[in-house]
Amino acid sequence: LAQAPLGPLCCLDGFSALVGIVRLHPDFATMAPSGMGPTARYEEYKQKEISFIEGELKDWFLTRRFAMERNMAIKKALDEGNFTGLSIANASVPDSKKALWSDLVQGKPELEDSLSSNAKQMKADMYMQTFKDSTDYDHPCRVPGSEYLQCVQTNSKDTSKSRQLTCASLFSQFDACRKSMLSAQTKALETSLVKQDIADRRAKALFERRTILLESK
């Protein structure tokens, strides 16, 4: 989930961050009328701070709600179209296709010796078709993956041991690319969760500060 940068205030904690926000906000730089007493001035500043905090909380809530609904809509559309990602999280995908996809993503596309020659060729073709349908020409794994699967297709009539020796170097390149993609996805998820956690903690601190202000007299 994309989050807007919080700037240097994200490094402050709790009340200190809120004080920094209040000091930076232009509404709080406006001096209260000199004729107002201390209590009236305090109430004036308190109401301005509460108003600012409520605006920030509203922005946080709408941002989170919009992101949630957008992501759920995308997931629903992909599931209905029988799509699945690297994590293979779509339960509606047929088992046969799920097995092929699992081999392509994290296993090893291979042809069992127990299969007939026609069945081996058919399975090799299914691997290639599934892979090409799932990657465009700019995909970093398109070339190494296609080269390995082409090797499997070409040598489909060989025994599994012989084919593995022939295609070993090509599979190593493909496997390295796959692992790089999975690692990048994991890092992106971790970064997104950290940003979301920072935004949530800031919202919690703002809400607690608002509660203190509303209860103060």
Side-chain angles (χ1 to χ4, degrees):
L1 301 177
Q3 297 287 339
L6 298 178
L9 293 177
C10 68
C11 302
L12 302 176
D13 62 331
F15 182 72
S16 298
L18 290 170
V19 171
I21 293 171
V22 170
R23 287 176 179 170
L24 290 175
H25 196 267
D27 286 349
F28 299 102
T30 305
M31 294 296 293
S34 57
M36 295 177 65
T39 301
R41 284 200 298 270
Y42 171 75
E43 288 296 325
E44 179 76 14
Y45 290 134
K46 184 177 76 170
Q47 291 304 319
K48 288 183 178 180
E49 184 176 352
I50 290 173
S51 178
F52 171 68
I53 289 174
E54 289 177 344
E56 291 291 296
L57 289 173
K58 182 179 179 181
D59 288 344
W60 166 81
F61 175 79
L62 291 176
T63 298
R64 288 296 306 276
R65 183 61 182 266
F66 174 78
M68 179 190 72
E69 292 182 354
R70 175 180 177 273
N71 292 334
M72 290 180 65
I74 292 174
K75 177 68 166 59
K76 183 175 181 293
L78 291 174
D79 286 349
E80 290 175 349
N82 220 24
F83 285 87
T84 189
L86 297 179
S87 59
I88 317 176
N90 187 354
S92 64
V93 175
D95 291 340
S96 59
K97 292 186 177 181
K98 187 179 294 185
L100 288 174
W101 184 240
S102 179
D103 288 345
L104 289 169
V105 172
Q106 55 195 17
K108 186 174 185 179
E110 250 305 333
L111 310 176
E112 297 81 1
D113 290 335
S114 59
L115 298 175
S116 66
S117 296
N118 288 338
K120 286 181 180 179
Q121 187 63 52
M122 183 179 296
K123 187 175 181 182
D125 293 343
M126 289 173 66
Y127 275 132
M128 181 64 83
Q129 189 62 49
T130 301
F131 181 74
K132 287 187 174 181
D133 288 345
S134 305
T135 56
D136 55 29
Y137 290 106
D138 295 329
H139 195 285
C141 297
R142 173 81 176 205
V143 173
S146 297
E147 289 178 344
Y148 169 69
L149 294 175
Q150 182 64 53
C151 183
V152 172
Q153 281 182 317
T154 303
N155 300 278
S156 62
K157 295 182 180 180
D158 295 348
T159 63
S160 179
K161 184 177 181 179
S162 175
R163 186 170 48 254
Q164 287 183 26
L165 290 173
T166 303
C167 305
S169 61
L170 294 174
F171 177 73
S172 296
Q173 297 175 31
F174 176 45
D175 191 41
C177 185
R178 294 189 309 178
K179 289 177 179 177
S180 176
M181 293 293 295
L182 290 169
S183 177
Q185 177 178 267
T186 300
K187 290 179 180 178
L189 176 61
E190 291 175 351
T191 299
S192 177
L193 290 175
V194 168
K195 291 181 178 180
Q196 181 175 297
D197 184 61
I198 291 173
D200 290 350
R201 288 176 182 272
R202 178 175 181 270
K204 180 182 178 182
L206 286 168
F207 184 81
E208 291 173 349
R209 174 61 177 166
R210 175 180 177 275
T211 301
I212 292 173
L213 291 171
L214 290 174
E215 292 177 351
S216 66
K217 295 182 180 181

